[in-house]
């Protein structure tokens, strides 16, 4: 793989307004985000394509990777740098075969290191754990302990992403535990 993710990994909210979404994405990138994941569970396929293309153009201009959540075809169609799959969003090995070796592929592993080990074996090049803190997006999500990040760093030779309810106030404890 040509790219490895590192640093602040921002995930977009479910918005339907392209200008608003791009404004927020620009702000996240200007504020230090090094990776942007486009995640929208509510948009129609046509709107999702419009928003993803706008974000891809923004990320290309800023030099940061855009990762598409859940939608392999959208990642391929937009030329995004990669794809992120949740537990029920598709087969990681099949996605790796479609993406090829040069695009990023991440996997949600929630609070389970064994999911991360399986994802790595299937071709994922980074793994995400969380939700570490309460979040309006997934209020009932599992809450792994921050120590899971350090364990993942020790057991896997992959970037480890922490997600869920992260703010400037609580982020340092996750970084210290191994996120990044």
């Amino acid at each position: 793989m040509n790219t490895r993710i590192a640093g602040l990994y921002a995930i977009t909210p479910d918005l339907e307004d392209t200008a608003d979404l791009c404004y927020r994405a620009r702000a996240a990138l200007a504020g230090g985000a090094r990776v942007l994941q486009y995640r929208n569970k509510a948009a129609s396929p046509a709107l999702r394509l419009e928003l993803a293309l706008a974000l891809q153009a923004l990320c290309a201009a800023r030099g940061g990777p855009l990762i598409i959540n859940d939608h392999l075809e959208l990642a391929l169609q937009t030329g995004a740098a990669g794809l992120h799959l949740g537990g029920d969003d598709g087969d990681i090995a099949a996605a790796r075969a479609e993406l090829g070796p040069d695009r990023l592929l991440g996997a949600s592993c929630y609070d389970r290191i064994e999911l991360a080990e399986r994802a790595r074996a299937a071709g994922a090049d980074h793994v995400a754990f969380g939700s570490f803190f309460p979040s309006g997006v997934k209020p009932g999500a599992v809450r792994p302990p921050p120590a899971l990040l350090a364990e993942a760093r020790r057991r896997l030779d992959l970037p480890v992403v922490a997600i869920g309810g992260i703010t400037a106030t609580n982020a340092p404890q996750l970084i210290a535990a191994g996120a990044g």
Side-chain angles (χ1 to χ4, degrees):
M1 260 148 273
N2 295 334
T3 306
R4 279 180 65 102
I5 64 165
L8 181 60
Y9 184 117
I11 301 173
T12 65
D14 285 353
L15 295 175
E16 294 187 1
D17 182 283
T18 303
D20 186 24
L21 182 62
C22 286
Y23 172 80
R24 292 175 189 227
R26 251 192 253 50
L29 293 167
R34 307 238 336 252
V35 178
L36 184 67
Q37 183 189 121
Y38 172 55
R39 179 186 184 277
N40 191 322
K41 300 289 187 177
S44 69
L47 179 58
R48 196 176 291 126
L49 176 60
E50 175 187 324
L51 296 168
L53 286 169
L55 291 174
Q56 175 59 14
L58 175 66
C59 287
R62 301 247 176 186
L66 176 67
I67 295 174
I68 303 293
N69 181 275
D70 293 350
H71 299 279
L72 173 62
E73 291 304 319
L74 186 61
L76 295 170
Q77 188 175 12
T78 59
L83 175 70
H84 181 88
L85 294 175
D88 298 323
D89 298 326
D91 181 79
I92 294 168
R96 171 52 68 207
E98 287 287 321
L99 289 170
D102 294 328
R103 291 199 181 167
L104 297 167
L105 179 57
S108 292
C109 301
Y110 312 100
D111 62 345
R112 298 176 49 203
I113 192 76
E114 69 274 8
L115 290 179
E117 291 170 331
R118 278 189 248 147
R120 179 189 61 190
D125 54 48
H126 62 282
V127 293
F129 294 97
S131 180
F132 282 93
F133 301 102
S135 164
V137 174
K138 292 186 179 181
V142 297
R143 301 270 181 273
L148 179 61
L149 298 169
E151 180 183 358
R153 295 288 291 236
R154 278 192 306 275
R155 291 174 60 173
L156 308 167
D157 183 27
L158 299 176
V160 176
V161 177
I163 61 171
I166 301 169
T167 66
T169 302
N170 61 29
Q173 78 182 73
L174 298 176
I175 293 167

